[in-house]
Amino acid sequence: MILDAQHPLSSGLTADSRLIQAYQGTRPAVTPVWFMRQAGRSLPEYRELRVGTRMLDVCLDPALASEISLQPVRRHNVDAGIFFSDIVVPLKLVGVDVSIVAGKGPVLGKAVRTRADVDELTALDPALLDTALAPISAAVSLAVSQLGSTPLIGFAGAPFTLAAYLVEGGPSKDHIHARALMHVEPDAWAKLMAWTAEVTGRFLRAQVLAGASAAQLFDSWAGALSLADYAASVAPASAAAIAHVRDLTYTVPGAADGAEPAESVETWRNVPIVHFGVGTGELLKEMHNIGADVVGVDYRVPLDEANRRLGGAVPVQGNVDPALLAAPWPVLEAHVRDVLERGRTAPSHVLNLGHGVPPDTDPDVLTRLVNLVHDVSAAE
Ligand code: 1CP
């Protein structure tokens, strides 16, 4: 499907931005930078807005969700906004009993542990999201209208990471119940994954249609899986989730001018899709193969090695160790320069953290880091 003419990728507003260039595999003159979990926790202006509110209520309030998405862009001069929401929002909107407990994370009213539990959950009709996602679309449109030429990244949880919360009933270290269900009840597992892929895929598509210029799938807990289990029991559902945005295209404005007819086909682009996981060094190739354009790398695998594992042809995103944000500036600076250098081995690189911003991070360190990345990469 072609994005409508007002979409910032189609209108050309964000299509030439550093972020979209890098995601499309072209190295821009200056390396783009944004931070996972940049919206929220570490910003005093976020904590001020959040007083007396519940996380999921805020996610469903378009004015608040939009404002929080913009806060880090204003403050840090990052090259992208990420939409403020949570991976469990589409579960809530389709009727799952889930809340976000402060200091803990998503907690389910009832864990999905048996075949009967899966049948009960999957009886909730994902088509309900056609209307239930309206506040999400409204929040994205509002944020995009204020971001101008800075792209907004839409996101969703990958089916495994969502299933991990559904089956465990909340946060978990080893995801043992989810991994057990995969083998004890393979049919129920497949049904759960297919349902989750549809729910999360619709959430992602709604954000892109409302104006997000890129889409990131977070498989935060896929690092708990062996490569064999990932490939057989998880990757097909992640591919199904991504398929909800894989067909969305735009043309690069003006690029067809003067081009030979045969060249003009090259002006068509897919909305770029990023796939990120934690502890997924062994899975990088599979994570690319499910239909991603860009692979997000956590802090454990250096980018030159990640690039080698990916065959040298895939744009990478990452991977400053979030722990180093607390280190003395010269230590952090040396680390960031090293990440930039290793990132130069890949076709293109978007600098990010290897996981989210820790809540106690000094926001001024993030601003200084953005300037460093822009200055160092511009001088190369
Ligand atoms: O009260 C609060 O402020 C709650 C803290 C919080 C915030 C700010 C949660 C609860 N979610 C969010 C927002 C959020 N979640 C964003 C938008 C902000 C941004 O990135 O700038 C995004 C992209 C997410 C995605 C998310 N939620 C992931 C994937 C990314 C990752 O960090 O791995 C995961 C795993 C979640 C679940 C979740 N939601 C909240 C918490 C504390 C957690 C993790 C819990 C756990 O450890 O299992």
Side-chain angles (χ1 to χ4, degrees), residues 83-110:
F83 178 53
F84 182 82
S85 193
D86 193 80
I87 58 170
V88 299
V89 165
L91 297 177
K92 174 87 180 167
L93 291 175
V94 81
V96 176
D97 177 8
V98 58
S99 50
I100 292 184
V101 177
K104 190 169 180 199
V107 174
L108 278 290
K110 181 183 174 219

Side-chain angles (χ1 to χ4, degrees), residues 34-41 46 50 55 59 72 82-88 100-106 155 161 165 170-172 175 218 220-221 276 278 355-356:
W34 68 278
F35 305 112
M36 291 186 282
R37 299 297 194 95
Q38 68 187 15
R41 311 178 295 177
Y46 167 77
R50 280 294 317 277
M55 176 67 190
C59 292
I82 178 148
F83 178 53
F84 182 82
S85 193
D86 193 80
I87 58 170
V88 299
I100 292 184
V101 177
K104 190 169 180 199
F155 76 93
T161 289
Y165 287 111
S172 156
H175 314 289
F218 281 94
S220 300
W221 311 140
F276 167 77
V278 181
H355 198 183

